[in-house]
């Protein structure tokens, strides 16, 4: 599909604006959670504001991907944006926590459609060679949202009130909707005769059960519920595989995974979630305890990480579009990230803070080198009738990898710290303020404990990137094609 340069620019601006809204809504709320929970009088339900959004935006990815192929990505995108704006209004008017959680679930579902269809639409209107550049611009929404989301959320909550954290989406989203209606062309839908309802249901049950299980596994009081959820997830995943093998038009066609480009791309996408997205949330705690920094200063390390990811994501997208080469970025990126995390695992406490900042900046650069690029590469390995499906698969493995690994790291840290702390300190009430006010000997002891606990975590993530290096090496070499033709039965990437 050929668009004029002006219309393509307007399209990218529209998709970037909406993608940024979806990504920002995931990060901006974190700063406001305590205020929201206090006003609504439901502190014990606070985590479900985040969990509900994440869960709904994850489980619907393959369904929305298939729906985009079946009825056209333009229709799904515009519908998702309208639903997102309605859900934003409902969140701001929430009189109770159950209302807010339900509205956040709806908002998460719409956000999945926005993010996924943005990438799918770019896949339809660009050549494989052009795609990395535009995909990198769209992909920049996520790291930018991570950088400014907490600050924006704090300022809005403090000066306007927490409902405006959600209502601010409406004027921006409405303007983006008007632009999108003009800029997004009509894209012919695939001839899907029958939607895979059984596959969608079994997969949704399996993924919901898995996410709940890993969310509960670190809580001793929820051990039985976690075990039941794991069993349900295992049974549902088995049923999903059986259904997909027998379905006339499966939601995730098994034959796609026989393509080496798709298989390697999915593995690399999973590594991003497992290796970096999972640990970012724990970095401030680590530096507050091990390096004895303030809350504000501890945020510099994840900021450096995300900044490296942003710069590298944009640079490699433009370089890949210019040269057509893609494999070198995946290989170099996994090597750099693995080495950086390996250094973090052996870095002694007491080093100046700029040292781990520089190391984690390198990890961000390594991850950003193939973060958006791998989506463009995998899209180039399928016919346009399956762009939504394969784009959903890439995003799905990344989010599931991040969710599962985040829960695992949280459990490891909680158990490790509790087992090593002296009897005079209670891990359930230990805060950075308490540690910083303690005698120097206690501070050194806590710092050593957190270093001992996080060292194997960093080492494990380094190993994950080393496995990602294997996937990068197995990624078929070639050059992104300049024409708009892609086949799944051949190697479509070589022009």
């Amino acid at each position: 599909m050929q668009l004029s340069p002006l219309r393509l620019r307007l399209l990218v601006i529209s998709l970037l604006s909406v993608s940024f809204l979806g990504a920002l809504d995931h990060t901006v709320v974190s700063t406001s959670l305590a205020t929201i929970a206090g006003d609504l009088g439901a502190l014990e339900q606070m985590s479900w504001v985040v969990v509900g959004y994440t869960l709904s935006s994850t489980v619907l990815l393959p369904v929305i991907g298939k729906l985009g192929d079946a009825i056209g990505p333009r229709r799904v995108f515009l519908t998702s944006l309208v639903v997102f704006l309605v859900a934003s209004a409902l969140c701001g008017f929430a009189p109770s926590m159950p209302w807010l959680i339900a509205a956040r679930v709806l908002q998460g579902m719409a956000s999945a459609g926005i993010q996924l269809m943005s990438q799918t639409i770019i896949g339809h209107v660009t050549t494989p060679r052009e795609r990395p550049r535009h995909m990198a611009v769209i992909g920049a929404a996520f790291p930018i949202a991570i950088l400014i989301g907490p600050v924006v959320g704090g300022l809005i909550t403090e000066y306007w009130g927490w409902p405006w954290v959600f209502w601010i989406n409406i004027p921006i989203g409405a303007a983006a909707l008007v632009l999108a209606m003009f800029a997004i062309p009509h894209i012919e839908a695939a001839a899907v005769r029958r939607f895979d309802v059984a596959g969608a249901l079994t997969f949704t049950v399996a993924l919901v059960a898995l996410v709940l299980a890993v969310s509960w596994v670190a809580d001793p009081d929820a051990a039985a519920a976690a075990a039941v959820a794991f069993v349900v997830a295992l049974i549902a995943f088995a049923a999903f595989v059986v259904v997909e093998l027998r379905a006339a038009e499966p939601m995730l066609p098994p034959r796609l995974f026989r393509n080496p480009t798709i298989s390697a791309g999915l593995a690399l996408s999973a590594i991003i979630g497992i290796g970096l997205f999972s640990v970012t949330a724990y970095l401030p705690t680590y530096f507050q305890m091990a390096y004895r920094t303030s809350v504000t200063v501890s945020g510099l390390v994840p900021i450096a990480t995300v900044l490296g990811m942003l710069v590298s994501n944009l640079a490699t997208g433009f370089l890949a579009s210019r040269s057509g080469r893609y494999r070198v970025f995946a290989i170099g990126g996994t090597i750099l990230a693995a080495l950086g995390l390996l250094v973090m695992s052996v870095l002694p406490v007491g080093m100046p803070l700029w040292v781990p900042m520089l190391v984690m900046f390198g990890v961000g650069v390594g991850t950003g080198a193939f973060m958006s690029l791998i989506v463009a590469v995998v899209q180039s390995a399928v016919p346009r009738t399956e762009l939504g499906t394969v784009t959903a698969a890439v995003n799905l493995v990344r989010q599931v990898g991040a969710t599962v690994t985040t829960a695992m790291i949280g459990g490891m840290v909680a158990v490790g710290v509790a087992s090593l702390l002296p009897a005079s300190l209670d891990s359930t009430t230990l805060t950075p303020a308490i540690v910083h006010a303690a005698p120097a000997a206690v501070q050194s002891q806590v710092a050593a404990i957190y270093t001992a606990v996080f060292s194997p975590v960093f080492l494990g993530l380094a190993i994950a990137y080393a496995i990602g290096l294997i996937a990068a090496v197995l990624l078929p070499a070639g050059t992104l094609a300049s024409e708009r033709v892609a086949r799944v039965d051949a190697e479509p990437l070589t022009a």
Side-chain angles (χ1 to χ4, degrees):
M1 181 174 294
Q2 188 74 36
L3 298 182
S4 67
L6 174 60
R7 190 172 184 185
L8 182 57
R9 290 191 191 98
L10 292 176
L11 174 63
V12 172
I13 292 171
S14 172
L15 297 180
L16 175 60
S17 302
V18 177
S19 296
F20 178 68
L21 274 184
L24 186 65
D25 207 68
H26 189 64
T27 59
V28 75
V29 176
S30 60
T31 315
S32 314
L33 274 181
T35 302
I36 294 172
D39 284 354
L40 299 182
L43 186 63
E44 71 282 357
Q45 298 174 335
M46 180 175 66
S47 63
W48 282 100
V49 176
V50 176
V51 172
Y53 184 94
T54 304
L55 191 60
S56 60
S57 64
T58 301
V59 299
L60 278 188
L61 280 172
V63 177
I64 291 175
K66 191 68 175 180
L67 196 61
D69 290 336
I71 67 175
R74 183 181 192 274
R75 188 178 301 176
V76 176
F77 178 86
L78 295 177
T79 302
S80 298
L81 180 52
V82 171
V83 172
F84 182 83
L85 297 179
V86 171
S88 296
L90 292 175
C91 286
F93 285 115
S96 65
M97 189 61 81
W99 175 306
L100 179 61
I101 293 171
R104 284 286 285 173
V105 168
L106 183 63
Q107 199 177 35
M109 295 164 61
S111 176
I114 289 170
Q115 304 288 358
L116 186 56
M117 289 301 105
S118 295
Q119 296 175 340
T120 304
I121 290 168
I122 289 295
H124 275 284
V125 302
T126 59
T127 67
R129 179 69 68 86
E130 298 167 341
R131 202 169 289 154
R133 179 174 71 252
H134 298 297
M135 202 70 74
V137 173
I138 300 296
F142 181 74
I144 293 175
I146 294 177
L147 286 173
I148 72 171
V151 176
V152 171
L155 291 174
I156 291 176
T157 302
E158 184 175 355
Y159 292 102
W160 293 356
W162 66 261
W164 281 99
V165 169
F166 304 104
W167 289 340
I168 196 68
N169 295 331
I170 298 174
I172 301 174
L177 176 62
V178 173
L179 183 58
M181 293 176 67
F182 165 75
I184 301 176
H186 172 74
I187 299 171
E188 186 178 351
V192 177
R193 295 181 299 275
R194 184 183 302 173
F195 191 79
D196 184 15
V197 177
L201 290 176
T202 53
F203 185 83
T204 299
V205 170
L207 206 52
V208 169
L210 177 61
V211 172
L212 290 176
V214 298
S215 300
W216 292 335
V217 74
D219 184 0
D221 297 331
V228 172
F230 272 122
V231 172
V232 172
L234 184 62
I235 295 173
F237 272 124
F240 173 71
V241 172
V242 173
V243 168
E244 295 302 278
L245 290 174
R246 296 181 176 180
E249 296 188 29
M251 187 173 61
L252 289 175
R255 59 181 172 77
L256 289 180
F257 301 95
R258 292 195 292 267
N259 186 302
T261 300
I262 297 175
S263 298
L266 291 177
L268 285 166
S269 188
I271 293 302
I272 295 172
I274 294 170
L276 182 61
F277 288 5
S278 61
V279 76
T280 305
Y282 299 101
L283 289 177
T285 299
Y286 170 66
F287 285 98
Q288 288 170 40
M289 295 298 201
Y291 283 72
R292 289 166 263 184
T293 64
S294 66
V295 174
T296 303
V297 173
S298 69
L300 294 176
V301 180
I303 287 175
T305 308
V306 175
L307 187 60
M309 188 192 310
L310 174 63
V311 171
S312 179
N313 172 65
L314 292 171
T316 56
F318 280 81
L319 289 173
S321 284
R322 174 170 293 186
S323 67
R325 302 290 178 181
Y326 54 89
R327 188 165 171 259
V328 62
F329 300 113
I331 293 175
T334 50
I335 291 174
L336 181 59
L339 290 176
L341 288 165
L342 182 62
V343 171
M344 287 296 298
S345 70
V346 298
L347 203 63
V349 175
M351 299 289 289
L353 190 62
W354 65 265
V355 176
M357 283 180 62
L358 183 61
V359 174
M360 289 306 299
F361 177 82
V363 175
V365 169
T367 303
F370 59 95
M371 184 178 70
S372 297
L373 177 59
I374 204 63
V375 179
V377 171
V378 169
Q379 284 184 340
S380 301
V382 297
R384 69 165 195 85
T385 54
E386 293 177 331
L387 277 176
T389 299
V390 78
T391 306
V394 173
N395 285 272
L396 179 66
V397 296
R398 184 177 301 179
Q399 289 192 214
V400 172
T403 302
V404 173
T405 312
T406 299
M408 291 176 61
I409 293 175
M412 290 175 61
V413 171
V415 172
V417 170
S419 64
L420 294 175
L421 276 178
S424 58
L425 295 175
D426 183 2
S427 63
T428 60
T429 60
L430 189 67
T431 65
I434 292 175
V435 174
H436 297 168
V442 174
Q443 293 185 33
S444 298
Q445 187 176 15
V446 172
I449 289 171
Y450 270 83
T451 301
V453 170
F454 272 88
S455 180
V457 170
F458 288 127
L459 180 60
L461 299 181
I463 293 172
Y465 271 102
I467 295 172
L469 174 59
I470 298 174
V473 171
L474 294 176
L475 189 67
T479 304
L480 291 170
S482 299
E483 69 274 8
R484 291 174 168 78
V485 178
R487 306 193 313 276
V488 75
D489 54 325
E491 196 56 55
L493 297 165
T494 303

